[in-house]
Amino acid sequence: MGEWSKKSSRLLETKLISRGDDKEIVVATANGLGELLKLVIAERALDYPYGIDDRITMAINRARAAGREFGKRFDELKYPALRTLRSLGDSIFDASIYESYDYVDYSDSQNTRNIIAECSEVLQSMARAAESFDGKFVRREIGSGFGYIETNLADTRVTVKLHPSSLKKIGVDRLADQVVRELSNAQSEARRIRLQSLQDFALWWRRQAPASFDMKG
């Protein structure tokens, strides 16, 4: 990693961005990488026991989204080409693009048409995998029956659900600490699953590629 990359990483890791729910009963703090660092639940949250999980969810998602947006804009400021690459990336993972192509009409050898069709199938598989990450979740329990926190495999959405009595049983500070800890655990599990999925896909591709990319004829 170059010196500038190290400095950029440190800056994003130490950039603190806080966001709260609509009443700021709960305030979450994330860094420029979108990592949740701290959660503060005000004592007056005890007056809203039936809605505190929604407030925690809102604060966490707002803070993480703001942190990631800061990191994205920061990267694009230093590397303008990233904006174009990200735009292309969004297109690559739109499965409908590849389904609309008619490869049969491609005027070249049958082998070339087979290669193009195989590439299309691979890209569709990648697109479907990326889409599936958004709709699959990892869940972690909070305390002993206090509730749970979950994040999707894409790590873009967090949901917290708590039993109404949780606040009074464990207190606002302890609850906040447990939410942060269990979210970190859920994110680690989500990363492990994503990596395993990519490894499985790479293994499948390596097995398929030799037959598909035989350039003879």
Side-chain angles (χ1 to χ4, degrees):
M1 182 182 294
E3 188 61 28
W4 167 247
S5 296
K6 292 180 181 178
K7 289 181 178 179
S8 298
S9 180
R10 285 196 295 269
L11 187 150
L12 293 177
E13 287 174 355
T14 56
K15 174 66 178 180
L16 302 182
I17 299 174
S18 297
R19 295 290 187 272
D21 66 288
D22 291 339
K23 292 183 179 294
E24 295 203 338
I25 294 173
V26 180
V27 176
T29 300
N31 60 17
L33 299 173
E35 298 169 339
L36 180 66
L37 303 179
K38 186 178 181 180
L39 190 68
V40 176
I41 304 174
E43 289 290 342
R44 58 196 175 104
L46 293 170
D47 298 330
Y48 306 90
Y50 288 92
I52 192 60
D53 45 9
D54 291 335
R55 296 183 185 280
I56 293 174
T57 296
M58 183 182 298
I60 290 175
N61 284 322
R62 284 178 172 178
R64 296 185 69 225
R68 284 177 166 168
E69 183 63 20
F70 175 86
K72 178 181 177 181
R73 298 306 175 204
F74 178 83
D75 288 342
E76 290 178 354
L77 180 65
K78 295 299 179 182
Y79 307 104
L82 281 177
R83 182 173 302 176
T84 301
L85 289 174
R86 282 170 173 153
S87 177
L88 289 172
D90 291 340
S91 298
I92 287 173
F93 289 108
D94 181 355
S96 64
I97 291 177
Y98 310 107
E99 293 170 354
S100 65
Y101 281 33
D102 185 0
Y103 297 104
V104 177
D105 293 336
Y106 187 83
S107 58
D108 209 321
S109 69
Q110 181 63 47
N111 191 62
T112 300
R113 290 198 297 273
N114 290 343
I115 291 173
I116 294 175
E118 182 68 26
C119 287
S120 172
E121 182 178 341
V122 170
L123 290 171
Q124 286 187 57
S125 298
M126 291 174 64
R128 286 192 292 269
E131 291 170 356
S132 72
F133 288 160
D134 188 63
K136 294 181 181 178
F137 295 82
V138 171
R139 178 178 296 187
R140 297 283 299 192
E141 296 298 318
I142 298 174
S144 301
F146 296 138
Y148 65 85
I149 185 168
E150 65 180 15
T151 180
N152 60 352
L153 293 186
D155 196 23
T156 57
R157 286 184 289 155
V158 171
T159 301
V160 177
K161 291 296 181 183
L162 297 171
H163 191 279
S165 64
S166 300
L167 275 177
K168 291 185 178 180
K169 285 184 177 180
I170 62 177
V172 294
D173 292 338
R174 186 179 168 195
L175 175 61
D177 290 343
Q178 289 194 13
V179 168
V180 174
R181 181 173 62 252
E182 294 307 327
L183 175 57
S184 177
N185 291 334
Q187 289 171 318
S188 296
E189 178 67 8
R191 282 193 295 271
R192 185 193 67 77
I193 294 173
R194 289 199 306 270
L195 178 59
Q196 185 62 55
S197 296
L198 292 174
Q199 289 175 336
D200 291 344
F201 180 83
L203 181 60
W204 173 84
W205 172 241
R206 288 180 62 185
R207 290 172 176 171
Q208 297 294 318
S212 303
F213 283 87
D214 179 7
M215 299 303 292
K216 297 178 182 179

